[in-house]
Each structure stands twice: as structure tokens, then as C-alpha cells.
Amino acid sequence: MIRKIVTLPDPVLRRKAVPVRKITKRVRKLIDDMAETMYEAEGAGLAAPQIGVSERIIVIDVGQGLIPLINPKIVSAEGEERDVEGCLSIPGKNAYVTRSKKVTVTGLGLDGKEKRYEAEGLLARAFQHEIDHLDGILYIDYLTE
Ligand code: NI
């Protein structure tokens, strides 16, 4: 089911999302809906707060297949890279943002097992952007000009 994507200034985007305690049928359905909503909006990633659910879940697809991740965490980061970024919750805008070039991300997959991703480039950027959403951080917070 396609959900409505919330946009600024909806306060849910600024809330710290809570961890998922158990991967229930509801959580799996939520992830299905998030993926469907992301593809329909032609986005590369979506975090649960963007559909109004303040829980630590993200979905990403940068063209290498769908990555759903529950309670994701960046466990290491290195380098710097500056590139253009946008956000489905801030429609019609984009800007250059400096992010870590490489990140290692862990979290739970839909099967409840721990997953680990070594990401760089666009995928690393997407992980950082989406995990920020879970802490109420938006890319515009990094802009200085
Ligand atoms: Ni975003």
C-alpha cells in the first residue's frame, strides 16, 4: 500500500525514532509499504518517519536491489565526499552535502538476522541520509550557505 510521504514542517521528521523490538507481521507490512512508497516516488531511500511512523526502519535501493534494514547503525565511517542530495520530504530542492565516503552499517534484516553492509558512493550516502532521518536530522541541517 502506498503511504503518504510527510513533508516539512511535519514534527515527526524531527523526532528521534524508537528501536523496533520485534519483527512482527505489522513491521513486515510496514516495510512492504515503505518500499512501494519509495518506488512510486522514484526515491533511492525512505525512512519510516517519512510516512509518519517514528520507528527505526529504513529502505534503500540505489539500483542494486532493495535493502530493508531495521535498527540500522553506522559502525564505522571514513573519508569525505561531496555530492548532490535531495529528500522526498523536502520536495523540489537539492543541495551539495559532504558525507563520509565509506561506511559500514549493521542492522537487522526482515529475517531478524544481523546484516552488515560495507558501502561507498551513492549507497554510503543513502545509508547516512536515511539513518539521519531516524534521529530527526535532515540534509538541510548540514548546509552552511
Ligand atoms: Ni530524506
Side-chain angles (χ1 to χ4, degrees), residues 115-128:
K115 310 282 174 198
R116 187 182 181 90
Y117 295 92
E118 314 273 347
E120 54 186 298
L122 188 54
L123 182 59
R125 180 166 297 272
F127 272 126
Q128 291 169 84

Side-chain angles (χ1 to χ4, degrees), residues 78-132:
E78 64 177 89
E80 271 192 2
E81 199 162 65
R82 197 166 162 77
D83 208 343
V84 174
E85 222 168 284
C87 179
L88 294 173
S89 294
I90 311 170
K93 292 200 158 58
N94 50 61
Y96 276 89
V97 182
T98 303
R99 298 274 190 188
S100 298
K101 189 181 168 72
K102 290 184 181 180
V103 290
T104 302
V105 177
T106 61
L108 298 178
L110 276 169
D111 55 5
K113 290 186 179 141
E114 170 122 337
K115 310 282 174 198
R116 187 182 181 90
Y117 295 92
E118 314 273 347
E120 54 186 298
L122 188 54
L123 182 59
R125 180 166 297 272
F127 272 126
Q128 291 169 84
H129 179 115
E130 300 312 331
I131 293 171
D132 269 355

Side-chain angles (χ1 to χ4, degrees), residues 13 16-17 24 38 40 54 66-67 70 93 116 145:
L13 294 171
K16 196 170 162 65
T24 57
M38 172 184 75
E40 202 262 343
S54 199
L66 180 67
I67 299 174
I70 297 161
K93 292 200 158 58
R116 187 182 181 90
E145 293 137 53

